[in-house]
Structure formats: structure tokens, C-alpha cells
Amino acid sequence: MQKLIAAVAASFAIAATCGAAQAQISDNVVKLGVLTDMSSLYADATGKGSLAAVEMAVADYGGKVAGVPIQIVSADHQNKPDVGVNIARNWYDNEKVDAVLDVPTSSVALPISALTREKNKININSGGGSSDITGTACSPNTVHWTYDTYALSNVAGKAMVKRGEDTWFFITADYAFGMALQRDAANVVKESGGKVLGEVRHPLNSSDFSSFLLQAQASKAKVVALANAGGDTTNALKQAAEFGLTQGGQKMIALLMEITDVHSLGIKATQGLIITDAFYWDTNDETRAFSKRFNEKVGHMPTMIQAGLYSATMHYLKAIEAIKTDEAPKVMEQMRKTPINDFFARNGKIRIDGRMVHDMYLFEVKKPEESKGEWDLYKLIATVPGDEAFRPLDKGGCPLVK
């Protein structure tokens, strides 16, 4: 009888322990929300490819973490801050989403980061670019994974001024991302000994860049810098070719351009273009293996945003597995103290301001005769270590930095 009582007591103790461990995962599910641009100018760089990257990561992880299932929801924020915030608020309040991922368009990304802090959830941003996300608007609940305006500007700006291309004119998207990109690039140009001769701003998702390009042409600047992205960048480059800017001796630089943009425009139209990127599919065996799988699923090679999302999702799930809870502050602490070593980043690290620091790359688009295939588009000019590419921790104005 004593043995029976002891056995029953032990079984109850084990059950209680298991129940307590299980209870650490809220609602017995880990729910991810992919909030992205499914239908507009950033859809190729993010969109369905971003969702596919997260789905691949969850499938590769086995569909469960810490013994509970992983679920994914997705939505199109239409590049509108109010739409994005309403979706995320509903996800957090009613659908019990634990983490919101991607969020391209900085005017949407910044309020989503603030909302995530208010709700004490987690935001892993891959698509938004403003360096303010880890600067004055930093949050203990947000990780900025893939790139930002400071790194894009710093890597390309220094290199170009150094080789004599020292007068710049900016064509800038008139919203948070474009203005941050121009600001960061202009600072790099000036600090490197160059000059900014002028600027012009255009509405988001513009179709006609003729007046902006004529002003850039009239400035006689050696570099015409496009502080925009996606469809805005490709439209501007197409029309720049029609106006003969490069034939007239000016150098075009796209401060943010994805491999899907280059592929869409064609290598003949983009040859010689200088691009800063966080990822290229043909870097090594690991990047090629992931990209081949992604291409088979989506129909194109991954952008840096999409590759970064796979990496970020895996890191998030591993953190939950390690500590057996999805409680946001504990997961963030685990993510920060764990280095990132995968096909996307070597010895990556998440700083207290939320910036994931990793190597960045400077590429030049190949000439048609140099390319050996449809996606053989870039040649590497330089690999810039993360600590040199991204803004120093004490220079961003993040209140979390002591």
C-alpha cells in the first residue's frame, strides 16, 4: 500500500511538472504573423516570398516547438500605417499572435514596433529599412534583422566617394524610409569628403520620374542616388536610361535594390550598377542549397529580406525551444545572448538596441558577357564586417543604450 501511494504521488508530481512546463507556452501554440506587402511595389522583394520563407523555416523545424504546434497567419498591410496597425492589433488582442514578422515600409514598421512594445509581444523586422527602428524609436521587443538605411548608405557611400565619385544628387521617396536613407547617405558622403548638390522628393509608388531626373541631370552631380526601393527604383532606372543620364557621365546608384529588381530590369540595363546587400544566393554551398529550395517553391531566387526571414524565424524558434516559454522578454533575452550562425549570417549578434549585426556586401552588377546564367547577376566588390557596416551602438540615440 505504501508503494502504491508513493507511485500515485510520483505520477501526480510528474503530471503537475509537465502541466507547468506546458503552461509556459501561451494558449498551447506558438503563432507567427507575417505582415507584408502582397500587392504593391515591394511585393517581389517581400510579399509571398516572405511568407514562403517563414513557412519553410517552420516546416524545417518540424512544425512544433517546445511540444506545441506552430501556426502562421499572414496579411497585406497595403503600405498603409493605419491598415498595418489595425491588423497587428487584432492579431495581438484576438488571434493570440506571439510575434509579427517582416513589415516592409518604414512608415508601417515604426508604429508596429511601438504597438508590439505596448502589447509585450515580439516584432522581428526584415523588410523595413529605417535605422530609426534601432535608433530613437528602438524597443526591447523588436529585432531589426536584415539591413537598415545606415548600413546601405555606409557601405556604398564610402566606397564611391573614395574612388572619386564625390558629388551627389538624391531622388528620394517621400516617406520615413526614403528620408532616413537620404539622411544616412548624405552624412556618409559629407564625412567622407564629398558634397550633396541637391535633392528632390517623389511620392511613394510613382510612375513618372521625368521631372525628378531632369533636375538630377541639370545638377551635374557625379552620382545620382536613388533613395527609394522596389517599383520606384526600377521605374526610376528605366527612365534614367531613356534620359541618357549614364551616357552623359553620371553614375546611378540604387541605395536599396533587390536581386528581383535587377532580374526584372535585365542585366543589360543594370550592368555596372553598385548595390549593397545582406545576402546573395551564389555566395557558398549553404546559400546555394537554401536558394535552390526557395526558387523551386517560389519561382525566383530569394531577396535578402526573404533569406533573412528564414534565418530570423529559426533563431526565434530555437530560443523558445531552449527556454520552454514564449514569454516575450525571456525569448528576447535568449535571442540576444545566442550568436547567429547559419547560411545567412556568421557570428551574427543581436545588440541591446535590437540591431542584428552581421556582414554586409558591396556588389557590382555583371556585364552580360560575364553572366553564366539567368540569376548569375552580381560580382563581389567587398565584404564589410558587421561592426563596420552598421551604426555604432552609441551613435543611434537608442534610450536602451546606457
Side-chain angles (χ1 to χ4, degrees):
M1 181 61 70
Q2 288 177 335
K3 289 180 180 179
L4 178 60
I5 292 171
V8 170
S11 67
F12 275 115
I14 291 169
T17 302
C18 291
Q22 185 83 343
Q24 296 301 307
I25 304 296
S26 58
D27 307 300
N28 291 326
V29 65
V30 171
K31 201 165 188 179
L32 310 178
V34 181
L35 187 58
T36 189
D37 177 2
M38 291 286 191
S39 57
S40 190
L41 73 168
Y42 303 137
D44 288 343
T46 62
K48 293 179 180 177
S50 289
L51 176 58
V54 174
E55 289 173 341
M56 286 174 66
V58 169
D60 289 349
Y61 204 81
K64 287 187 175 183
V65 59
V68 303
I70 306 163
Q71 294 180 3
I72 304 170
V73 294
S74 65
D76 183 355
H77 62 39
Q78 303 172 40
N79 298 307
K80 297 176 181 178
D82 57 335
V83 172
V85 168
N86 286 337
I87 291 169
R89 188 180 297 278
N90 178 60
W91 279 354
Y92 288 146
D93 290 347
N94 301 316
E95 297 192 34
K96 309 303 180 185
V97 166
D98 297 294
V100 169
L101 289 78
D102 199 15
V103 200
T105 317
S106 296
S107 56
V108 184
L110 288 161
I112 293 296
S113 178
L115 176 67
T116 302
R117 184 174 190 172
E118 174 193 329
K119 299 297 181 180
N120 197 26
K121 301 289 188 175
I122 287 178
N123 172 214
I124 303 177
N125 187 294
S126 186
S130 174
S131 60
D132 293 340
I133 293 170
T134 57
T136 54
C138 71
S139 163
N141 297 71
T142 294
V143 181
H144 205 182
W145 197 267
T146 302
Y147 75 101
D148 63 29
T149 53
Y150 183 96
L152 295 176
S153 306
N154 189 38
V155 172
K158 283 181 179 178
M160 295 190 76
V161 173
K162 187 177 180 179
R163 57 190 210 180
E165 291 150 346
D166 55 2
T167 56
W168 289 49
F169 186 96
F170 287 91
I171 297 177
T172 302
D174 192 13
Y175 77 106
F177 164 75
M179 289 182 281
L181 187 52
Q182 179 187 319
R183 176 198 67 204
D184 290 342
N187 287 340
V188 169
V189 169
K190 293 171 187 175
E191 289 169 3
S192 302
K195 294 180 181 179
V196 176
L197 301 186
E199 65 171 88
V200 64
R201 294 181 182 176
H202 67 82
L204 182 67
N205 212 2
S206 294
S207 58
D208 185 5
F209 282 83
S210 55
S211 64
F212 312 126
L213 289 165
L214 286 171
Q215 291 179 63
Q217 198 170 37
S219 75
K220 305 297 185 184
K222 294 178 182 177
V223 177
V224 177
L226 301 177
N228 51 24
D232 285 334
T233 300
T234 55
N235 285 335
L237 286 170
K238 286 176 186 175
Q239 292 171 41
E242 295 169 7
F243 280 92
L245 267 71
T246 54
Q247 293 91 327
Q250 290 178 300
K251 188 79 172 179
M252 298 292 298
I253 177 172
L255 290 169
L256 173 57
M257 192 165 187
E258 299 284 356
I259 193 168
T260 46
D261 301 324
V262 175
H263 183 265
S264 174
L265 283 170
I267 198 168
K268 186 175 180 181
T270 54
Q271 59 183 306
L273 196 66
I274 302 298
I275 294 171
T276 304
D277 215 316
F279 176 83
Y280 181 50
W281 72 271
D282 200 19
T283 300
N284 55 49
D285 288 344
E286 287 182 281
T287 60
R288 285 187 285 271
F290 169 77
S291 299
K292 182 176 183 292
R293 292 173 55 218
F294 184 92
N295 190 16
E296 289 170 351
K297 182 177 177 70
V298 181
H300 63 75
M301 289 300 181
T303 64
M304 65 173 172
I305 293 168
Q306 293 158 349
L309 270 173
Y310 180 99
S311 171
T313 303
M314 277 292 193
H315 193 69
Y316 172 69
L317 296 176
K318 288 176 182 177
I320 292 175
E321 192 75 60
I323 59 176
K324 300 296 187 288
T325 179
D326 59 357
E327 188 178 337
K330 293 179 181 178
V331 175
M332 287 293 296
E333 181 183 2
Q334 179 67 21
M335 289 175 68
R336 279 193 291 265
K337 74 181 186 181
T338 307
I340 297 96
N341 282 294
D342 57 18
F343 73 92
F344 180 80
R346 298 292 184 206
N347 298 313
K349 58 186 177 183
I350 301 172
R351 302 188 311 202
I352 189 64
D353 62 350
R355 175 71 261 160
M356 201 279 269
V357 177
H358 53 83
D359 292 351
M360 294 288 290
Y361 306 98
L362 189 66
F363 295 107
E364 182 177 338
V365 178
K366 290 182 175 182
K367 298 174 183 177
E369 62 268 24
E370 295 173 324
S371 176
K372 298 177 181 178
E374 180 184 5
W375 291 96
D376 182 24
L377 302 175
Y378 294 170
K379 56 184 176 184
L380 181 66
I381 297 175
T383 300
V384 182
D387 288 333
E388 296 178 22
F390 290 97
R391 181 177 56 205
L393 183 60
D394 61 346
K395 301 296 184 183
C398 172
L400 301 174
V401 179
K402 296 180 182 179

